PDB file of all heavy atoms in Angstrom:
ATOM      1  N   ILE B 147      26.071   0.181  15.407  1.00 98.00           N
ATOM      2  CA  ILE B 147      24.841   0.615  16.088  1.00 98.00           C
ATOM      3  C   ILE B 147      23.707   0.590  15.072  1.00 98.00           C
ATOM      4  O   ILE B 147      23.811   1.168  13.992  1.00 98.00           O
ATOM      5  CB  ILE B 147      24.962   2.068  16.619  1.00 98.00           C
ATOM      6  CG1 ILE B 147      26.166   2.225  17.556  1.00 98.00           C
ATOM      7  CG2 ILE B 147      23.660   2.507  17.285  1.00 98.00           C
ATOM      8  CD1 ILE B 147      25.909   1.839  18.974  1.00 98.00           C
ATOM      9  N   SER B 148      22.646  -0.095  15.419  1.00 98.00           N
ATOM     10  CA  SER B 148      21.441  -0.063  14.587  1.00 98.00           C
ATOM     11  C   SER B 148      20.407   0.790  15.320  1.00 98.00           C
ATOM     12  O   SER B 148      20.650   1.216  16.452  1.00 98.00           O
ATOM     13  CB  SER B 148      20.910  -1.482  14.375  1.00 98.00           C
ATOM     14  OG  SER B 148      20.396  -1.971  15.604  1.00 98.00           O
ATOM     15  N   ILE B 149      19.246   1.002  14.697  1.00 98.00           N
ATOM     16  CA  ILE B 149      18.269   1.851  15.384  1.00 98.00           C
ATOM     17  C   ILE B 149      17.804   1.239  16.700  1.00 98.00           C
ATOM     18  O   ILE B 149      17.363   1.949  17.596  1.00 98.00           O
ATOM     19  CB  ILE B 149      17.055   2.234  14.491  1.00 98.00           C
ATOM     20  CG1 ILE B 149      16.332   0.998  13.954  1.00 98.00           C
ATOM     21  CG2 ILE B 149      17.474   3.151  13.366  1.00 98.00           C
ATOM     22  CD1 ILE B 149      15.001   1.346  13.270  1.00 98.00           C
ATOM     23  N   GLU B 150      17.941  -0.069  16.858  1.00 98.00           N
ATOM     24  CA  GLU B 150      17.623  -0.681  18.158  1.00 98.00           C
ATOM     25  C   GLU B 150      18.555  -0.163  19.244  1.00 98.00           C
ATOM     26  O   GLU B 150      18.204  -0.155  20.426  1.00 98.00           O
ATOM     27  CB  GLU B 150      17.799  -2.198  18.123  1.00 98.00           C
ATOM     28  CG  GLU B 150      16.719  -2.955  17.390  1.00 98.00           C
ATOM     29  CD  GLU B 150      17.135  -3.395  16.006  1.00 98.00           C
ATOM     30  OE1 GLU B 150      17.905  -2.639  15.366  1.00 98.00           O
ATOM     31  OE2 GLU B 150      16.695  -4.463  15.569  1.00 98.00           O
ATOM     32  N   GLY B 151      19.751   0.220  18.822  1.00 98.00           N
ATOM     33  CA  GLY B 151      20.750   0.667  19.782  1.00 98.00           C
ATOM     34  C   GLY B 151      20.528   2.090  20.264  1.00 98.00           C
ATOM     35  O   GLY B 151      21.221   2.563  21.168  1.00 98.00           O
ATOM     36  N   LEU B 152      19.607   2.793  19.647  1.00 98.00           N
ATOM     37  CA  LEU B 152      19.372   4.181  20.053  1.00 98.00           C
ATOM     38  C   LEU B 152      18.408   4.262  21.232  1.00 98.00           C
ATOM     39  O   LEU B 152      18.612   5.033  22.158  1.00 98.00           O
ATOM     40  CB  LEU B 152      18.801   4.998  18.884  1.00 98.00           C
ATOM     41  CG  LEU B 152      19.645   5.111  17.611  1.00 98.00           C
ATOM     42  CD1 LEU B 152      18.936   6.011  16.600  1.00 98.00           C
ATOM     43  CD2 LEU B 152      21.034   5.665  17.911  1.00 98.00           C
ATOM     44  N   GLY B 153      17.337   3.512  21.168  1.00 97.00           N
ATOM     45  CA  GLY B 153      16.330   3.605  22.232  1.00 97.00           C
ATOM     46  C   GLY B 153      15.303   2.506  22.075  1.00 97.00           C
ATOM     47  O   GLY B 153      15.380   1.695  21.154  1.00 97.00           O
ATOM     48  N   THR B 154      14.355   2.497  22.979  1.00 97.00           N
ATOM     49  CA  THR B 154      13.327   1.459  22.988  1.00 97.00           C
ATOM     50  C   THR B 154      11.953   2.133  22.929  1.00 97.00           C
ATOM     51  O   THR B 154      11.845   3.341  23.163  1.00 97.00           O
ATOM     52  CB  THR B 154      13.401   0.642  24.288  1.00 97.00           C
ATOM     53  OG1 THR B 154      13.169   1.541  25.383  1.00 97.00           O
ATOM     54  CG2 THR B 154      14.754  -0.018  24.459  1.00 97.00           C
ATOM     55  N   PRO B 155      10.897   1.363  22.669  1.00 97.00           N
ATOM     56  CA  PRO B 155       9.566   1.969  22.664  1.00 97.00           C
ATOM     57  C   PRO B 155       9.266   2.672  23.993  1.00 97.00           C
ATOM     58  O   PRO B 155       8.624   3.724  24.010  1.00 97.00           O
ATOM     59  CB  PRO B 155       8.634   0.777  22.470  1.00 97.00           C
ATOM     60  CG  PRO B 155       9.449  -0.223  21.730  1.00 97.00           C
ATOM     61  CD  PRO B 155      10.853  -0.054  22.250  1.00 97.00           C
ATOM     62  N   GLU B 156       9.770   2.118  25.096  1.00 96.00           N
ATOM     63  CA  GLU B 156       9.510   2.730  26.402  1.00 96.00           C
ATOM     64  C   GLU B 156      10.404   3.944  26.626  1.00 96.00           C
ATOM     65  O   GLU B 156      10.016   4.899  27.299  1.00 96.00           O
ATOM     66  CB  GLU B 156       9.773   1.734  27.537  1.00 96.00           C
ATOM     67  CG  GLU B 156       8.890   0.496  27.524  1.00 96.00           C
ATOM     68  CD  GLU B 156       9.215  -0.475  26.383  1.00 96.00           C
ATOM     69  OE1 GLU B 156      10.425  -0.628  26.038  1.00 96.00           O
ATOM     70  OE2 GLU B 156       8.286  -1.053  25.806  1.00 96.00           O
ATOM     71  N   ASP B 157      11.602   3.882  26.071  1.00 97.00           N
ATOM     72  CA  ASP B 157      12.565   4.951  26.313  1.00 97.00           C
ATOM     73  C   ASP B 157      13.245   5.317  24.993  1.00 97.00           C
ATOM     74  O   ASP B 157      14.414   5.036  24.780  1.00 97.00           O
ATOM     75  CB  ASP B 157      13.606   4.463  27.344  1.00 97.00           C
ATOM     76  CG  ASP B 157      14.575   5.569  27.708  1.00 97.00           C
ATOM     77  OD1 ASP B 157      14.228   6.763  27.498  1.00 97.00           O
ATOM     78  OD2 ASP B 157      15.688   5.250  28.168  1.00 97.00           O
ATOM     79  N   PRO B 158      12.485   5.951  24.104  1.00 98.00           N
ATOM     80  CA  PRO B 158      13.043   6.238  22.786  1.00 98.00           C
ATOM     81  C   PRO B 158      14.118   7.317  22.837  1.00 98.00           C
ATOM     82  O   PRO B 158      14.087   8.195  23.701  1.00 98.00           O
ATOM     83  CB  PRO B 158      11.830   6.700  21.976  1.00 98.00           C
ATOM     84  CG  PRO B 158      10.810   7.127  22.975  1.00 98.00           C
ATOM     85  CD  PRO B 158      11.093   6.387  24.241  1.00 98.00           C
ATOM     86  N   HIS B 159      15.061   7.219  21.938  1.00 98.00           N
ATOM     87  CA  HIS B 159      16.058   8.270  21.736  1.00 98.00           C
ATOM     88  C   HIS B 159      15.323   9.529  21.250  1.00 98.00           C
ATOM     89  O   HIS B 159      14.275   9.415  20.613  1.00 98.00           O
ATOM     90  CB  HIS B 159      17.044   7.768  20.673  1.00 98.00           C
ATOM     91  CG  HIS B 159      18.192   8.700  20.411  1.00 98.00           C
ATOM     92  ND1 HIS B 159      18.081   9.791  19.568  1.00 98.00           N
ATOM     93  CD2 HIS B 159      19.467   8.688  20.854  1.00 98.00           C
ATOM     94  CE1 HIS B 159      19.256  10.420  19.511  1.00 98.00           C
ATOM     95  NE2 HIS B 159      20.111   9.770  20.294  1.00 98.00           N
ATOM     96  N   PRO B 160      15.871  10.711  21.541  1.00 98.00           N
ATOM     97  CA  PRO B 160      15.178  11.940  21.090  1.00 98.00           C
ATOM     98  C   PRO B 160      14.822  11.929  19.604  1.00 98.00           C
ATOM     99  O   PRO B 160      13.763  12.441  19.226  1.00 98.00           O
ATOM    100  CB  PRO B 160      16.192  13.040  21.415  1.00 98.00           C
ATOM    101  CG  PRO B 160      16.975  12.500  22.577  1.00 98.00           C
ATOM    102  CD  PRO B 160      17.023  11.002  22.400  1.00 98.00           C
ATOM    103  N   ILE B 161      15.654  11.343  18.778  1.00 98.00           N
ATOM    104  CA  ILE B 161      15.297  11.350  17.342  1.00 98.00           C
ATOM    105  C   ILE B 161      14.119  10.417  17.090  1.00 98.00           C
ATOM    106  O   ILE B 161      13.264  10.680  16.245  1.00 98.00           O
ATOM    107  CB  ILE B 161      16.502  11.012  16.443  1.00 98.00           C
ATOM    108  CG1 ILE B 161      16.153  11.382  14.998  1.00 98.00           C
ATOM    109  CG2 ILE B 161      16.921   9.554  16.544  1.00 98.00           C
ATOM    110  CD1 ILE B 161      17.323  11.431  14.064  1.00 98.00           C
ATOM    111  N   GLN B 162      14.063   9.343  17.853  1.00 98.00           N
ATOM    112  CA  GLN B 162      12.925   8.426  17.694  1.00 98.00           C
ATOM    113  C   GLN B 162      11.653   9.079  18.222  1.00 98.00           C
ATOM    114  O   GLN B 162      10.574   8.958  17.635  1.00 98.00           O
ATOM    115  CB  GLN B 162      13.222   7.106  18.417  1.00 98.00           C
ATOM    116  CG  GLN B 162      14.385   6.367  17.756  1.00 98.00           C
ATOM    117  CD  GLN B 162      14.906   5.185  18.544  1.00 98.00           C
ATOM    118  OE1 GLN B 162      14.948   5.228  19.781  1.00 98.00           O
ATOM    119  NE2 GLN B 162      15.337   4.151  17.839  1.00 98.00           N
TER     120      GLN B 162
END
Side-chain angles (χ1 to χ4, degrees):
Chain B
I147 304 276
S148 69
I149 57 170
E150 285 102 326
L152 300 183
T154 61
E156 298 71 37
D157 184 21
H159 184 278
I161 194 166
Q162 294 170 323

